[in-house]
Amino acid sequence: YRIMQTSQLKEIQSLIESMAYEVTFTPRGETSIVDMLSVLLDNEDDFDTKEQKIIITGYPDEDELDGSFFMQFFSEYSFTVQDKDLLNLLNMINQVNLLLPLGAFYLGEENSKLYFKYVLAYPKESSITAAFLNDVLDMAIYAIDEFQEGFENL
């Protein structure tokens, strides 16, 4: 099954590259416990932060599910959350999450990093089109970009 997951991620990599994104495939090993794609968002004209990335991973990693494949989109902001703003940030995260059409924002370990996460579920035997993947990426990028300044300036 790992071969299938890797091949699915490689297919997704090709689709994303066809949309003019820089994509890096990192196999499971010393730097990652799962195969992953790193999508650099620098080609977005209106994106505020250089080197902002979306990490895409596929699950399950083994043959645990017969008919489903899950693709996780994950992005972490580069700024560190200040303790004095934690309550305001938590309130803002709750309000923003109610507005998002997909995905959600979360605080990481020790409440120091803020990240966005979305999980797409689809049948294992189906294929994802470039148009569909472009829509999902656009929505994730919108969320990451639209709320970055507000979160950072709290």
Side-chain angles (χ1 to χ4, degrees), residues 94-133:
N94 285 335
Q95 292 301 311
V96 167
N97 283 344
L98 290 173
L99 300 173
L100 292 177
L102 59 79
F105 286 98
Y106 301 92
L107 278 176
E109 291 181 33
E110 300 176 18
N111 296 326
S112 65
K113 289 290 187 175
L114 181 63
Y115 64 93
F116 173 83
K117 177 179 156 183
Y118 168 64
V119 177
L120 172 67
Y122 63 96
K124 200 183 280 187
E125 299 303 320
S126 69
S127 61
I128 292 182
T129 65
F132 177 76
L133 189 56

Side-chain angles (χ1 to χ4, degrees), residues 24-99:
T24 304
F25 176 80
T26 304
R28 173 198 332 225
E30 291 179 22
T31 60
S32 176
I33 59 171
V34 295
D35 293 341
M36 66 181 195
L37 300 175
S38 178
V39 182
L40 187 61
L41 302 180
D42 278 356
N43 73 332
E44 293 293 314
D45 294 334
D46 60 343
F47 212 84
D48 295 331
T49 303
K50 295 284 186 211
E51 299 297 317
Q52 186 72 36
K53 296 177 183 176
I54 291 180
I55 304 299
I56 301 173
T57 53
Y59 300 95
D61 192 35
E62 297 175 10
D63 206 10
E64 296 170 357
L65 300 175
D66 294 329
S68 302
F69 186 75
F70 299 88
M71 191 168 28
Q72 177 179 269
F73 296 76
F74 177 89
S75 186
E76 183 177 88
Y77 287 124
S78 60
F79 61 87
T80 302
V81 174
Q82 304 299 318
D83 286 340
K84 64 182 177 76
D85 300 323
L86 189 57
L87 186 56
N88 288 335
L89 179 61
L90 289 171
N91 285 330
M92 186 175 178
I93 288 171
N94 285 335
Q95 292 301 311
V96 167
N97 283 344
L98 290 173
L99 300 173

